[in-house]
C-alpha cells in the first residue's frame, strides 16, 4: 500500500513539474493577452457597419410638420373679384397663414454601386484592423522569447553552481582531513569553505531571479509555468511570412475598394418617391382660394439625379489613392529591407556561436585536466590552495561560457524564426 502511494505521489510530482515548451508559452501568452478580445470587437463592428450600409436599399421615410405666415400670397385680380361679387360669389383668395403635416417616402432603384462599394470598404477596413491586431499580438512572442531564454540561462547557471558547490565541498572535506593530519594549514580549508559559501550566496541570488521570472512568465501566459526546456535548434526556410505582409496586402485591397467607390460616385442615381400631406393650401390652389379648408394631398413620381460635382475632384482623388498605394509599397520594401538585415545579423551570430561552441568542449577538457592536476599537486604540497581555487573557478567559468554560448545561439535561432515567422 505504501509502495502504491509512493508511485502515485511521484507521478503527481512529475506531472506538476512538467516543462512547458516555448511554443506552448507563446500560444498561451497570445490567448491571454487582452488584445485578443479585439478580434471579436472588430467582427461585431464590421457586421453592424455592413448591416447599416445595406439598409440604404430600404425605403427612406421622413415626417414633417410646418406652419408659415407669408407677407403676400397668390390672389385674384380685382376685376375678377368685382365680376364674381356681382354674380354673388365671394373670392376669398389664399390665407397668409399656411399649415401642413405630411410624410415623404423614397426608394432607391439604382445607386451606381455606391452601397455595394461602401460595404466592400467596411469589410476591407475590418480585415485591415484584424491584420493590424495580428501584428500587435505577434509582438508578444518576442517578449515570451526574452523571458523563456532568460530562464533557460538561469537554469544552466544554477545547475553549474550546484556542480561547483559539489566540487568545492569535496575539496573542502579533503582539506579538512589534511588539516587534521597536519599536512595542510587551517587557512587553506577556510579559503575553500569561503569559496563554497560565496557560491551558495550566488545560488540564492540566482534562485530568487528565477522565481521572479517564472512568476512574471506565468502571469504573462495566464498559466502556471514551473519549468522550461531547451527547444530544438532548427533553422527556418528564410521566407518572410510575418503578419505585416498580410497587413500590407489588406491596405492595398482597401485602396482598391476606395478607388471603386470613386467610380460609383460619378454615376447617376434613380429612385421613386411618394409625398403626401394634410394641410392648407393643397395642390388645388384655385379651390383653396375659394374656401379655406384643410385637405389631403399626394404625389408619386420618379427622380433621376446626377451629382457632377464628384467629377471636379475625381482626378485628384485617384492620384491620392495611387500615392497611398505607393506609400504602402514603400513601407513593404522598408520592412523587407530591415527584415533581411536582421536575418543577416542573426545568421552571422549563429555561425559565430557554433564556432565558439566547437572550441568550448576542448577548453573545458583542458581546464578540467588542469584542475585535477592542481588537486593532486595540492595533496602533495606542491601548490597552495589559492592556485587550486583559481583553477576550479577557471573550469567553472569555461563551463558557464559554453552554456551561455549554447543558450545565446538557441535564442538567435528563435529570434530568426520570429523575424521570418517560419
Amino acid at each position: 500500500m505504501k509502495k502504491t502511494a509512493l508511485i502515485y505521489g511521484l507521478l503527481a510530482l512529475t506531472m506538476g513539474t512538467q516543462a512547458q515548451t516555448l511554443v506552448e508559452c507563446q500560444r498561451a501568452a497570445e490567448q491571454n493577452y487582452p488584445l485578443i478580445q479585439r478580434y471579436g470587437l472588430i467582427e461585431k463592428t464590421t457586421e453592424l457597419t455592413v448591416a447599416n450600409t445595406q439598409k440604404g436599399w430600404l425605403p427612406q421615410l421622413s415626417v414633417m410638420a410646418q406652419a408659415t405666415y407669408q407677407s403676400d400670397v397668390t390672389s385674384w385680380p380685382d376685376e375678377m373679384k368685382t365680376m364674381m361679387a356681382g354674380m354673388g360669389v365671394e373670392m376669398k383668395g389664399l390665407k397668409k397663414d399656411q399649415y401642413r403635416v405630411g410624410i415623404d417616402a423614397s426608394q432607391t432603384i439604382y445607386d451606381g454601386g455606391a452601397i455595394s462599394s461602401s460595404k466592400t470598404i467596411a469589410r476591407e477596413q475590418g480585415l485591415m484592423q484584424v491584420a493590424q491586431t495580428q501584428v500587435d499580438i505577434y509582438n508578444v512572442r518576442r517578449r515570451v522569447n526574452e523571458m523563456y531564454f532568460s530562464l533557460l540561462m538561469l537554469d544552466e547557471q544554477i545547475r553549474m553552481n550546484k556542480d561547483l558547490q559539489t566540487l568545492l565541498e569535496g575539496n573542502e572535506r579533503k582539506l579538512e582531513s589534511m588539516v587534521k593530519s597536519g599536512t595542510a594549514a587551517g587557512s587553506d580549508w577556510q579559503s575553500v569553505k569561503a569559496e563554497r559559501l560565496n557560491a551558495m550566496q550566488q545560488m540564492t541570488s540566482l534562485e530568487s531571479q528565477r522565481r521572479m521570472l517564472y512568476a512574471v512568465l506565468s502571469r504573462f501566459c495566464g498559466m502556471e509555468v514551473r519549468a522550461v526546456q531547451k527547444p530544438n535548434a532548427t533553422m527556418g526556410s528564410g521566407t518572410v511570412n510575418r503578419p505585416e505582409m498580410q497587413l500590407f496586402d489588406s491596405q492595398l485591397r482597401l485602396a482598391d475598394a476606395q478607388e471603386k467607390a470613386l467610380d460609383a460616385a460619378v454615376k447617376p442615381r434613380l429612385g421613386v418617391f411618394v409625398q403626401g400631406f394634410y394641410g392648407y393650401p393643397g395642390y388645388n390652389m384655385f379651390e383653396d382660394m375659394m374656401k379655406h379648408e384643410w385637405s389631403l394631398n399626394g404625389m408619386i413620381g420618379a427622380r433621376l439625379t446626377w451629382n457632377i460635382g464628384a467629377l471636379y475632384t475625381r482626378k485628384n482623388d485617384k492620384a491620392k489613392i495611387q500615392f497611398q498605394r505607393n506609400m504602402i509599397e514603400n513601407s513593404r520594401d522598408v520592412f523587407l529591407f530591415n527584415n533581411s538585415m536582421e536575418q543577416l545579423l542573426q545568421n552571422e551570430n549563429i555561425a559565430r556561436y557554433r564556432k565558439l561552441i566547437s572550441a568550448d568542449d576542448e577548453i573545458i577538457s583542458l581546464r578540467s585536466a588542469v584542475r585535477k592536476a592542481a588537486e593532486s599537486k595540492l595533496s602533495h604540497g606542491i601548490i597552495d590552495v589559492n592556485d587550486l581555487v583559481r583553477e576550479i573557478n577557471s573550469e567553472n567559468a569555461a563551463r558557464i561560457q559554453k552554456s551561455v554560448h549554447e543558450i545565446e545561439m538557441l535564442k538567435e535561432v528563435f529570434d530568426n524564426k520570429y523575424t521570418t515567422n517560419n
Side-chain angles (χ1 to χ4, degrees), residues 102-385:
I103 184 170
D104 292 344
S106 62
Q107 172 65 59
T108 300
I109 297 176
Y110 174 74
D111 70 342
I115 293 177
S116 176
S117 296
S118 297
K119 290 194 296 183
T120 301
I121 289 175
R123 290 193 180 99
E124 291 299 337
Q125 286 175 335
L127 291 174
M128 188 181 70
Q129 290 174 342
V130 169
Q132 180 62 61
T133 303
Q134 289 174 339
V135 171
D136 296 336
I137 291 180
Y138 185 77
N139 293 331
V140 171
R141 295 189 187 183
R142 181 183 289 277
R143 298 170 66 180
V144 172
N145 287 357
E146 294 291 336
M147 289 184 282
Y148 197 91
F149 285 101
S150 294
L151 280 169
L152 285 175
M153 187 74 74
L154 285 169
D155 285 346
E156 284 295 311
Q157 290 176 344
I158 288 173
R159 181 182 64 81
M160 286 180 289
N161 185 280
K162 289 178 180 178
D163 293 340
L164 175 62
Q165 288 188 52
T166 301
L167 184 60
L168 289 170
E169 188 175 2
N171 282 279
E172 184 182 341
R173 286 197 299 268
K174 186 186 299 183
L175 282 168
E176 187 177 10
S177 299
M178 292 173 66
V179 169
K180 290 179 180 179
S181 62
T183 56
S187 59
D188 293 338
W189 172 76
Q190 292 171 348
S191 178
V192 173
K193 184 176 182 180
E195 284 296 323
R196 182 175 62 83
L197 293 175
N198 183 55
M200 291 177 63
Q201 283 185 329
Q202 292 176 1
M203 174 68 82
T204 301
S205 177
L206 290 171
E207 288 179 339
S208 176
Q209 293 178 48
R210 184 171 65 172
R211 284 194 301 271
M212 179 188 66
L213 201 51
Y214 268 119
V216 174
L217 182 60
S218 297
R219 179 67 179 273
F220 199 73
C221 294
M223 64 178 185
E224 187 174 3
V225 181
R226 296 184 179 180
V228 295
Q229 63 184 28
K230 285 185 181 180
N232 296 323
T234 55
M235 292 293 293
S237 62
T239 304
V240 179
N241 191 30
R242 287 278 291 268
E244 285 86 348
M245 304 303 292
Q246 284 74 37
L247 177 59
F248 296 137
D249 291 339
S250 180
Q251 290 172 339
L252 288 173
R253 289 195 300 270
L254 177 59
D256 293 339
Q258 290 172 336
E259 186 171 28
K260 289 181 180 179
L262 293 180
D263 296 333
V266 298
K267 293 180 180 179
R269 269 71 166 163
L270 177 63
V272 294
F273 65 90
V274 175
Q275 296 177 347
F277 72 91
Y278 179 68
Y280 173 85
Y283 291 143
N284 191 342
M285 190 169 296
F286 287 105
E287 183 176 350
D288 291 333
M289 293 173 71
M290 298 291 294
K291 53 183 180 179
H292 298 162
E293 295 180 358
W294 286 36
S295 62
L296 287 172
N297 301 269
M299 179 188 299
I300 185 170
R303 182 184 292 117
L304 179 67
T305 59
W306 188 8
N307 181 16
I308 61 173
L311 293 171
Y312 303 155
T313 60
R314 177 180 172 80
K315 182 178 179 180
N316 289 342
D317 290 338
K318 277 184 166 290
K320 284 170 60 178
I321 291 176
Q322 186 56 47
F323 288 143
Q324 289 177 6
R325 287 197 186 97
N326 294 340
M327 291 176 65
I328 295 168
E329 292 291 354
N330 179 257
S331 297
R332 190 207 299 268
D333 292 340
V334 170
F335 174 78
L336 290 174
F337 178 81
N338 291 333
N339 191 277
S340 65
M341 293 298 295
E342 285 186 31
Q343 290 188 61
L344 183 65
L345 294 173
Q346 289 161 354
N347 291 332
E348 182 60 33
N349 285 333
I350 291 169
R352 176 170 59 87
Y353 284 126
R354 282 177 176 161
K355 291 180 181 179
L356 292 173
I357 291 171
S358 64
D360 282 333
D361 288 329
E362 185 176 1
I363 294 172
I364 291 172
S365 178
L366 293 172
R367 290 295 184 187
S368 179
V370 171
R371 186 261 306 166
K372 290 176 182 178
E375 289 176 341
S376 177
K377 290 178 181 180
L378 180 66
S379 300
H380 294 84
I382 300 175
I383 63 173
D384 60 22
V385 73

Side-chain angles (χ1 to χ4, degrees), residues 390-402:
R390 184 176 64 251
E391 297 304 336
I392 290 174
N393 289 333
S394 295
E395 181 188 2
N396 184 62
R399 294 183 184 278
I400 291 176
Q401 188 177 50
K402 180 186 176 182

